């Protein structure tokens, strides 16, 4: 339908980016293909020049598919159609961009102009395997436009950049390259790797951490890329590759995946398995906080802010060293579990996990014991039991229940009968 609508208007329409790559990969490899993110580029002169051809096409499609939601981004450049955002349902996201040359009038039938326009659009992209287009409009619908050798790179299983400045312009492409390499089992091509080193050595952190009008977008993209990587089953291999390339420097120049950080991350995985259902943060977020928490205390809050983490994450990382100092000093002096509970209940689960990762085995065991057992202990009697025992409802109930809890935690009472005796 999209191509018919484009053809009606005398425009060209292309499928571009990841969907073309995944289609070709599915042809060369076995496996199921799940595409729920489609990028289209429309190339056509629009008579009013106040609306992008992409936007007009998206509007026309929404008239036909009324259950799709239409979003328009930027002044008049891109539009998106969205079917079902509910994560439980299969969703489909179709981005429709307008090729750059749309405002220069040219006869749509002129193949030379057409080729240079889509070529320019593809040349702005990151890797050859992501810079192919499939023409959807006639004539020659179904033709693959591959100006930069993307298909050969797919077959050779390599990630190759399009131009030397690409990583300098957008250092988050280093993370994308690593993500694709690990995800598909590809190699990063040698020259591309040299460009990565060049971009990193030219002061990549300065760009990802500076405050200017361009960096918020860059920082958001870095966070998004980190999210994709830390969400994926292959996240540990991806981190290793990022570290080998020196690319963890985009997060902070001192961040290294050394054996201690690996140990902490492995511990974290074991612990995420244990506390899965209680998680307040998703796994990728706590993995990211563990990376930031591994930095020296004075860098943590700044890096968390750079990456635009949520306020509670920033506060957690900012307070981590104080909290840890308090816990390390006090925990070993406690003789009773109730003292541990009184101290640790002040902190949220991610804080305790982050501290456990960085603490001695003895402290860690106490934290685990608190999280797995003591934090779940309830007073043996309820408010109703107290009423039955003849206590008049009053604010004192809380104190009585707290005392009962302390006695339970410290092993002084084991059941309701002992609890009643304790109160008597
Ligand atoms: N792109 C780029 N530089 C970036 C991000 C994206 O050049 N920093 C281009 C690539 O051509 C990419 C397309 O925009 O193919 C779409 O980006 P995105 O949807 O983020 O990635 P996909 O390639 O579709 O990959 P994925 O399967 O991870 O969605």
């Amino acid at each position: 339908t999209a191509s018919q609508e484009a053809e009606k208007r005398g425009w060209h329409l292309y499928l571009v980016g990841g969907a073309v790559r995944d289609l070709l990969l599915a042809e060369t490899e076995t496996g199921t293909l799940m595409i729920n993110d489609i990028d289209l580029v429309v190339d056509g002169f629009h008579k009013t020049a106040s609306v992008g051809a992409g936007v007009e096409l998206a509007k026309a499609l929404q008239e036909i598919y009324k259950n799709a939601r239409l979003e328009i981004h930027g002044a008049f450049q891109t539009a998106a159609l969205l079917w079902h955002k509910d994560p439980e349902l299969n969703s489909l996201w179709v981005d429709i961009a307008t090729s750059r040359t749309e405002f220069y009038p040219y006869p749509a039938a002129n193949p030379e102009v057409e080729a240079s326009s889509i070529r320019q659009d593809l040349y702005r992209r990151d890797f050859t395997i992501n810079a192919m287009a499939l023409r959807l409009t006639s004539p020659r619908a179904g033709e693959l436009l591959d100006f930069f050798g993307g298909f050969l790179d797919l077959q050779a299983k390599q990630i190759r950049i399009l131009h030397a400045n690409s990583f300098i312009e957008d250092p988050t492409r280093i993370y994308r390259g690593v993500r694709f390499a690990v995800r598909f089992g590809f190699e990063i091509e040698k020259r591309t790797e040299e460009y990565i080193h060049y971009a990193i050595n030219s002061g990549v952190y300065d760009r990802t951490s500076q405050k200017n009008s361009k960096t918020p977008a860059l920082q958001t993209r870095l966070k998004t890329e980190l999210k994709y990587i830390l969400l994926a089953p292959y996240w540990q291999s991806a981190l290793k590759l990022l570290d080998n390339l020196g690319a963890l420097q985009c997060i902070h120049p001192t961040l290294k995946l050394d054996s201690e950080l690996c140990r902490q991350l492995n511990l974290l995985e074991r612990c995420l398995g244990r506390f899965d259902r209680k998680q307040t943060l998703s796994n990728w977020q706590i993995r990211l906080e563990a990376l930031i928490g591994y930095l020296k205390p004075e860098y943590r809050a700044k890096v968390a802010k750079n990456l635009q983490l949520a306020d509670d994450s920033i506060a957690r990382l900012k307070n981590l060293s104080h909290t840890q100092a308090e816990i390390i000093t006090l925990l070993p002096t406690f003789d009773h579990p109730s003292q541990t509970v009184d101290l640790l209940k002040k902190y949220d689960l991610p804080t305790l996990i982050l501290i456990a990762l960085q603490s001695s085995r003895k402290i860690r065991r106490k934290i685990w014991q608190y999280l797995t057992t003591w934090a779940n202990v309830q007073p043996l009697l309820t408010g109703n039991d107290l009423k039955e025992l003849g206590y008049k409802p009053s604010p004192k109930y809380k104190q009585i229940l707290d005392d009962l809890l302390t006695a339970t935690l410290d092993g002084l009472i084991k059941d309701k009968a002992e609890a009643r005796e304790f109160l008597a």
Side-chain angles (χ1 to χ4, degrees), residues 16-19 21-22 37 39 95 122 124-127 129-132 166 170 172-173 176 179-180 183-184 221 225 228:
V16 294
R21 174 200 69 215
D22 292 345
D37 184 2
D39 289 307
D95 268 305
L122 296 171
R124 288 185 290 120
R125 291 166 186 269
D126 49 5
F127 305 105
I129 59 167
N130 289 339
M132 292 179 278
S166 189
D170 181 356
T172 65
R173 285 179 166 168
R176 289 175 60 83
R179 176 155 66 85
F180 294 126
R183 172 166 149 205
F184 301 131
R221 284 209 299 275
E225 284 307 324
Y228 285 144

Side-chain angles (χ1 to χ4, degrees), residues 344-361:
L344 299 187
K345 73 181 180 200
K346 293 196 289 185
Y347 305 114
D348 61 10
L349 177 64
T351 298
L352 294 177
I353 292 179
L354 292 177
I355 286 173
L357 299 182
Q358 301 192 357
S359 304
S360 68
R361 179 177 282 187

